[in-house]
Amino acid sequence: MINLNINQKSYEVDADPDMPLLWAIRDLVGLTGTKYGCGVAQCGACVVHLNGEAVRSCVTKVSRAEGKKIVTIEGLSKNNDHPLQLAWNEVNVPQCGYCHSGQLMSAAVLLRENPNPTDEDIDSAMSGNICRCGTYPRIRKAIHLAAELHKKEGGTK
Amino acid sequence: MSTNQVSRRDFLRVSGLAGTALCLGFYFPSSAKEAEIVNTSGVPKSEVELNAWIHIDTDGKVTIFNHRAEMGQGSFQSVPQIIAEELEVDLKEVNIILAQGNREKYGSQITGGSSTIRGSYKNLLKLSATARIMLITIAAKKWNVPITACYAESGHVLHKASGKKFHYGELVVDASKLEAPKEVVLKKISEYKLIRKPLHRQDTPLKTNGTAIFGLDKKLPGMLYATVERNPRLRGIVKSFDASAALKIPGVTKVFKVRMGVFNTFREGVAVVANSTWAAMQGKKALKVEWDDSGFEHINTTEIYRRQQEDLQTKEGLYLKKQGNPDDILRQEGKTIDVVYQTPYQSHSCMEPVNCVAHYQGDKVEIWGPIQAPEWVQDYISGQLGLPKEKVIVNMTFLGGGFGRKAFMDYPHEATMISKEIGAPVQVVWTREDDATQGPYRPGISYRCQGAIHNGEVTALKFRMSGQNNDHWRGGKTDQANRSTSEGFLKPYFDSIKNISFAEVQFETPVPTMWWRSVYASTNGFAYESFLDEVALAAGKDPLDLRRQYLQDERCQRLIDKMEEVSGWKKRKKNEGFGAAITECFSSTVGQIVKVSKDASGKIKIDQVWAVMDCGWYVNPDIIRAQVEGSIIMALGAATIHEITFKDGLVEQRNFYDYKMPRITDIPPIEVHIMENDADAGGVGEPGLPAFAPALTNAIFDLTGKRIRKLPFDLSAV
Ligand code: FES
Ligand code: FES
């Protein structure tokens, strides 16, 4: 049994220690917000936070996550009101929406580290996330907007 | 009993059960084109399948059944936006349920051909206006005032003079007993409060906190997971397999052969069933399978194009259209151009890989998945399994992209067969590698384009294409030209250029092919619009002027005006390359201008893309902008980044490391403009794609004098 702390809740999972965290979260814990896109660290659909760091859960062994704090898209905010979530809604970013759990989790780390990102900062932080629907121009716009919202809120989130 | 077999009188008869809700639906007469609106409140299910589209209950709650898939194109927003407008309710009061597959209830449900809005908006407007009138009628009766003294607003009927009002919920019981009026007056565009407004998409919140349920997120109690190793050469059967190593993987429970339909043919694979996706994936890797693909050619990409282009030089092909006599003109007159264009095979590569959940229960099967054509799946599986249609229940989840791929029936069929074999619900997951290597693909096509120019005028155009015909997979006739041979080409050219022909030189491979966003327009557009650029220059004309001259159609003229105006086409500078292209797709016309220049290191960079969309009547301008942006980015990838190639019958690309995608760093600024008119609605989800590649290569020619006739090409190597 492996103990996982996800979104501040603890779960016991009966997983092969080599199983990628992605499948433990999706199939064993049943949180399906984290997505499978490629399985080989190419697309970013599976990004979660591990002790505050953005990692690709498709190539992170579940054993590596034991004892660490895992945050998935379901735990990004309580009421869907993280500045990024508000901005995503305002700018109508998602199309099919499949990539956006990962996009948001990558962007959240960017904003925390760099509350005032330039276009170049956004490009380098977000270039690991593929969006087949081509929502990139709106992702960029929404990250700028979220940075502003964040400032207005006094950076509490 | 299907509604087609019920007489109209039977259908309209409202039984004693009326009175719990107002339900309106359509009756699709097999002969007439326009659907008829009927009050289906309380019609007993046994008599007529309830075909409600709008359902208003006694609390005034409105529920609509979205008959089309939501795969990113915004039907989840656009359909309610239309209904709320004519029904006069607040958008947030409208509940949306994704309908199940049912041709009798909903007519065609295939989400393809950018048809969701253009195919149903008139019916949806009429349907919701009908409900509103019925509610007003009851209110007027209760107050004993004329109908014209009342109006509807925000889910209420109000009496103008007194300000008295009824909530819709208070009226539905009586309204449900009325017969639907035959004629209703619809609002004028100037009266719209919701339509044509950039309202926020209602599905966004679900897509920002992980609660949207895509196919891959569907879970059932006791559900197992499966992967399938399918023939890497895309066709044929399993000769033998060794499951011993796979069965040793912890969690793997069963390994067996599975056969799935591919339209009118089939292929085989070996299924690995396990208690987690991961175990199923490990099991698949451990399989040893021997294939029998005898009788199927082991194709190579170079051979494909060699054969196509050789045929284009020697064969006339089957004519789709021919007016005048281009051959004579090409032989006689002045300047001629004769060139070949080439476009690649492409994978849809939806972000959500193909997957499906099926639960076979002996006398019925229920299916959940990212499905573009639920009623096709229903028809197909009921035929394959010999089950009555109503015993095949097909549920659509959100689709993590579709682009045509998820209108194939192979994966729901395969999932059903696996569930049948194991006697339990199962989710079949295609790995990204399966998704990339198994197709179906957009077909790779070669085009031969010939043109004659006499005294600066275009006197003849002769187009031939050679590439696989998607229709052949669905039993299409092989003795007729591909009806999409001229897709993308603007109709007004036929009025102004007297000699034009389009022909298809047939070409087959064992590779399954399927619609890919904007279908043949996505490749035709590149060939035909690049060629018109070449023709314009040979005729000594400005490329946009040439289009203006030969597109004698008011909407086209306005579109060209707009393209010039927004891009500053006439004012372009020397060190800037400008390219234009205009294509038609699913009844919408899109013009694009691309501007390129050279960066400090001499490499081409795309400075700006301007797109002008004329889709006639429309619902939500922001969704249109988003769809055009996305289409352009998809076109950028297909033109400059990725392609599917074959070697010895095997697909050479496996995942995003060798079938690379555009990333945020690759995206030029895109500006989208929408033409304002009230012509019939055209498509929105696809028409933004075809004009991009030719506008880009035309711009590169403008800057460098280099003509690109083969896609994809490496932008950094031009
Ligand atoms: S699924 Fe992990 S990066 Fe693609
Ligand atoms: S919104 Fe569809 S992949 Fe990003």
Side-chain angles (χ1 to χ4, degrees):
Chain A
M1 281 297 191
I2 293 178
N3 186 278
L4 295 177
N5 180 307
I6 308 177
N7 306 330
Q8 297 176 351
K9 262 174 90 176
S10 126
Y11 298 87
E12 290 280 322
V13 295
D14 181 10
D16 172 347
D18 282 347
M19 180 187 279
L21 179 59
L22 169 67
W23 298 112
I25 292 173
R26 288 183 52 85
D27 293 354
L28 306 182
V29 177
L31 289 171
T32 55
T34 306
K35 302 302 187 207
Y36 164 68
C38 68
V40 292
Q42 287 287 316
C43 75
C46 63
V47 170
V48 299
H49 297 172
L50 202 57
N51 281 351
E53 198 191 316
V55 299
R56 288 149 194 270
S57 62
C58 69
V59 290
T60 305
K61 287 181 181 171
V62 62
S63 51
R64 209 191 115 199
E66 191 161 25
K68 300 205 172 113
K69 277 194 182 140
I70 304 162
V71 178
T72 67
I73 185 69
E74 290 91 342
L76 183 59
S77 71
K78 277 218 168 62
N79 303 307
N80 213 349
D81 59 356
H82 185 285
L84 284 163
Q85 290 168 318
L86 298 175
W88 248 238
N89 198 51
E90 186 53 35
V91 180
N92 294 321
V93 179
Q95 289 185 25
C96 84
Y98 193 79
C99 70
H100 283 291
S101 300
Q103 304 278 6
L104 284 159
M105 295 311 276
S106 295
V109 172
L110 163 69
L111 266 199
R112 192 193 61 215
E113 300 295 313
N114 180 353
N116 235 333
T118 61
D119 275 352
E120 289 70 43
D121 298 335
I122 293 173
D123 276 7
S124 69
M126 301 301 292
S127 63
N129 287 79
I130 293 174
C131 174
R132 180 59 159 156
C133 299
T135 61
Y136 301 119
R138 288 167 188 245
I139 289 172
R140 195 180 283 154
K141 199 165 153 197
I143 292 176
H144 285 305
L145 176 62
E148 262 167 54
L149 294 174
H150 186 69
K151 259 181 267 163
K152 272 194 209 134
E153 278 179 19
T156 49
K157 281 242 158 75
Chain B
M1 196 188 285
S2 89
T3 54
N4 286 343
Q5 296 162 310
V6 180
S7 77
R8 189 177 118 74
R9 250 195 70 242
D10 280 349
F11 202 86
L12 293 179
R13 192 170 59 78
V14 173
S15 83
L17 291 176
T20 49
L22 173 60
C23 303
L24 292 184
F26 295 115
Y27 168 62
F28 289 96
S30 44
S31 53
K33 237 180 137 191
E34 214 166 313
E36 205 171 304
I37 290 163
V38 288
N39 183 342
T40 59
S41 317
V43 176
K45 267 199 166 189
S46 55
E47 191 171 328
V48 174
E49 260 286 281
L50 187 72
N51 76 339
W53 283 55
I54 297 186
H55 180 283
I56 311 171
D57 70 10
T58 48
D59 296 328
K61 204 177 88 192
V62 180
T63 304
I64 64 168
F65 296 82
N66 191 7
H67 64 305
R68 294 298 176 90
E70 174 51 66
M71 50 194 197
Q73 87 285 27
S75 71
F76 221 70
Q77 173 63 25
S78 306
V79 172
Q81 206 168 327
I82 294 173
I83 287 178
E85 178 75 63
E86 282 288 0
L87 189 56
E88 290 289 357
V89 292
D90 295 332
L91 199 51
K92 58 179 193 314
E93 301 295 324
V94 179
N95 245 324
I96 316 159
I97 294 178
L98 279 172
Q100 294 173 335
N102 193 318
R103 193 190 304 279
E104 278 72 34
K105 275 196 204 175
Y106 303 111
S108 164
Q109 287 176 271
I110 159 80
T111 305
S114 294
S115 59
T116 300
I117 299 306
R118 71 189 178 104
S120 55
Y121 77 106
K122 286 183 182 162
N123 287 339
L124 293 172
L125 288 170
K126 207 167 133 193
L127 184 70
S128 20
T130 302
R132 169 172 47 89
I133 301 293
M134 289 166 80
L135 293 161
I136 292 178
T137 305
I138 294 301
K141 236 183 233 164
K142 286 187 189 261
W143 289 321
N144 204 9
V145 298
I147 289 174
T148 47
C150 310
Y151 68 101
E153 194 178 82
S154 295
H156 292 81
V157 179
L158 293 96
H159 180 228
K160 281 179 211 162
S162 67
K164 281 187 287 195
K165 61 177 168 178
F166 280 117
H167 190 249
Y168 278 0
E170 300 171 88
L171 303 168
V172 294
V173 171
D174 293 321
S176 72
K177 293 167 190 151
L178 291 178
E179 205 168 289
K182 275 209 135 14
E183 297 297 329
V184 291
V185 181
L186 300 180
K187 290 183 183 181
K188 294 196 199 74
I189 288 181
S190 58
E191 293 167 334
Y192 286 155
K193 298 175 201 157
L194 303 174
I195 293 177
R196 297 213 169 198
K197 305 287 181 289
L199 304 181
H200 289 303
R201 288 177 65 136
Q202 314 237 56
D203 53 352
T204 303
L206 304 175
K207 292 174 175 177
T208 57
N209 67 2
T211 50
I213 299 295
F214 294 88
L216 211 56
D217 305 332
K218 182 70 198 175
K219 307 265 176 198
L220 292 175
M223 186 182 89
L224 294 169
Y225 298 86
T227 55
V228 179
E229 183 70 9
R230 303 172 191 83
N231 193 324
R233 288 206 175 83
L234 310 169
R235 300 293 291 275
I237 57 173
V238 175
K239 200 188 222 166
S240 66
F241 65 93
D242 174 359
S244 52
L247 284 165
K248 285 199 193 101
I249 307 274
V252 172
T253 54
K254 217 169 167 187
V255 177
F256 52 91
K257 190 166 90 176
V258 60
R259 175 180 283 211
M260 63 163 153
V262 181
F263 286 118
N264 47 2
T265 172
F266 67 88
R267 60 182 161 136
E268 286 185 349
V270 177
V272 178
V273 179
N275 61 5
S276 74
T277 315
W278 175 244
M281 285 175 167
Q282 295 303 99
K284 176 167 138 83
K285 276 190 197 150
L287 278 178
K288 283 192 200 77
V289 190
E290 255 196 274
W291 304 101
D292 178 0
D293 53 27
S294 49
F296 297 109
E297 186 192 357
H298 294 183
I299 52 161
N300 289 297
T301 290
T302 43
E303 174 62 14
I304 287 175
Y305 292 105
R306 193 196 59 72
R307 214 156 75 203
Q308 288 180 353
Q309 291 167 22
E310 199 176 277
D311 284 354
L312 285 171
Q313 295 306 325
T314 54
K315 296 182 182 158
E316 284 298 315
L318 300 163
Y319 280 98
L320 179 78
K321 287 182 182 160
K322 187 174 184 178
Q323 68 179 28
N325 197 336
D327 292 303
D328 278 356
I329 307 288
L330 281 163
R331 245 175 273 125
Q332 293 157 12
E333 288 188 12
K335 240 189 246 177
T336 57
I337 317 175
D338 184 349
V339 289
V340 170
Y341 296 90
Q342 182 180 317
T343 59
Y345 280 80
Q346 292 291 7
S347 158
H348 302 80
S349 293
C350 304
M351 212 55 216
E352 178 193 22
V354 175
N355 66 86
C356 190
V357 171
H359 189 194
Y360 178 87
Q361 295 149 73
D363 60 344
K364 71 167 188 178
V365 57
E366 189 159 7
I367 291 166
W368 295 260
I371 289 169
Q372 274 179 259
E375 88 282 27
W376 285 9
V377 171
Q378 188 185 39
D379 288 354
Y380 188 78
I381 292 189
S382 94
Q384 291 288 321
L385 274 75
L387 286 172
K389 272 219 264 179
E390 62 274 18
K391 297 289 184 190
V392 179
I393 302 152
V394 183
N395 304 280
M396 292 182 274
T397 61
F398 277 114
L399 281 76
F403 313 123
R405 170 61 181 93
K406 291 168 182 170
F408 228 38
M409 281 89 74
D410 53 346
Y411 60 105
H413 183 221
E414 184 188 63
T416 301
M417 298 319 286
I418 293 173
S419 173
K420 186 176 178 200
E421 175 74 28
I422 62 176
V426 70
Q427 178 171 65
V428 180
V429 181
W430 292 48
T431 63
R432 174 57 61 194
E433 289 78 8
D434 294 337
D435 191 285
T437 56
Q438 292 290 313
Y441 303 104
R442 180 183 85 174
I445 304 179
S446 297
Y447 297 85
R448 182 174 174 199
C449 305
Q450 292 169 270
I453 296 133
H454 191 60
N455 292 335
E457 297 304 323
V458 184
T459 50
L461 294 173
K462 177 176 181 177
F463 298 112
R464 268 173 284 182
M465 77 172 210
S466 183
Q468 288 184 251
N469 183 341
N470 295 335
D471 288 346
H472 291 178
W473 285 96
R474 295 181 289 133
K477 292 200 173 116
T478 51
D479 57 351
Q480 284 170 10
N482 185 338
R483 59 203 161 91
S484 302
T485 305
S486 65
E487 203 167 86
F489 191 74
L490 289 154
K491 291 184 192 69
Y493 286 126
F494 288 101
D495 299 326
S496 55
I497 300 171
K498 295 290 167 247
N499 303 284
I500 304 185
S501 65
F502 282 91
E504 185 213 3
V505 177
Q506 296 207 332
F507 175 84
E508 307 281 355
T509 80
V511 177
T513 64
M514 184 59 179
W515 311 325
W516 187 94
R517 198 176 193 174
S518 80
V519 197
Y520 286 93
S522 73
T523 50
N524 293 359
F526 170 64
Y528 304 155
E529 279 298 285
S530 296
F531 189 65
L532 282 179
D533 208 67
E534 299 204 43
V535 167
L537 297 166
K541 289 182 200 286
D542 172 274
L544 210 47
D545 286 346
L546 175 114
R547 282 153 176 106
R548 189 189 285 292
Q549 182 189 344
Y550 290 104
L551 291 169
Q552 290 297 329
D553 163 272
E554 207 191 303
R555 283 173 75 184
C556 288
Q557 294 287 320
R558 291 221 193 99
L559 186 96
I560 296 169
D561 288 344
K562 190 81 179 178
M563 289 167 73
E564 277 191 4
E565 174 201 320
V566 299
S567 68
W569 176 268
K570 289 257 147 84
K571 291 177 234 137
R572 55 197 208 265
K573 300 192 200 82
K574 235 190 151 184
N575 52 357
E576 298 170 344
F578 272 58
I582 307 173
T583 51
E584 194 269 349
C585 175
F586 302 124
S587 304
S588 292
T589 303
V590 173
Q592 292 185 28
I593 306 272
V594 173
K595 179 185 164 208
V596 297
S597 64
K598 283 188 179 163
D599 67 12
S601 66
K603 283 196 182 134
I604 301 277
K605 65 177 177 43
I606 306 174
D607 297 319
Q608 178 78 47
V609 182
W610 293 273
V612 184
M613 159 72 97
D614 182 353
C615 56
W617 187 93
Y618 66 82
V619 186
N620 187 320
D622 199 54
I623 289 180
I624 296 174
R625 270 181 228 117
Q627 286 301 304
V628 175
E629 290 161 9
S631 296
I632 287 171
I633 291 165
M634 196 157 171
L636 175 72
T640 65
I641 302 178
H642 50 72
E643 72 177 312
I644 289 289
T645 56
F646 306 92
K647 198 172 174 192
D648 189 30
L650 302 172
V651 174
E652 293 186 287
Q653 292 70 33
R654 298 187 58 76
N655 203 317
F656 293 131
Y657 47 75
D658 50 12
Y659 191 75
K660 291 191 196 298
M661 286 289 139
R663 302 207 174 232
I664 196 167
T665 39
D666 300 315
I667 310 306
I670 301 169
E671 207 177 281
V672 181
H673 299 267
I674 303 165
M675 299 303 288
E676 296 289 337
N677 59 55
D678 61 356
D680 279 355
V684 162
E686 304 171 80
L689 195 142
F692 175 74
L696 171 62
T697 51
N698 292 344
I700 291 172
F701 182 86
D702 190 43
L703 183 70
T704 65
K706 244 186 241 164
R707 178 62 66 186
I708 292 157
R709 299 199 182 94
K710 182 179 162 205
L711 299 182
F713 67 98
D714 181 357
L715 203 52
S716 67
V718 173

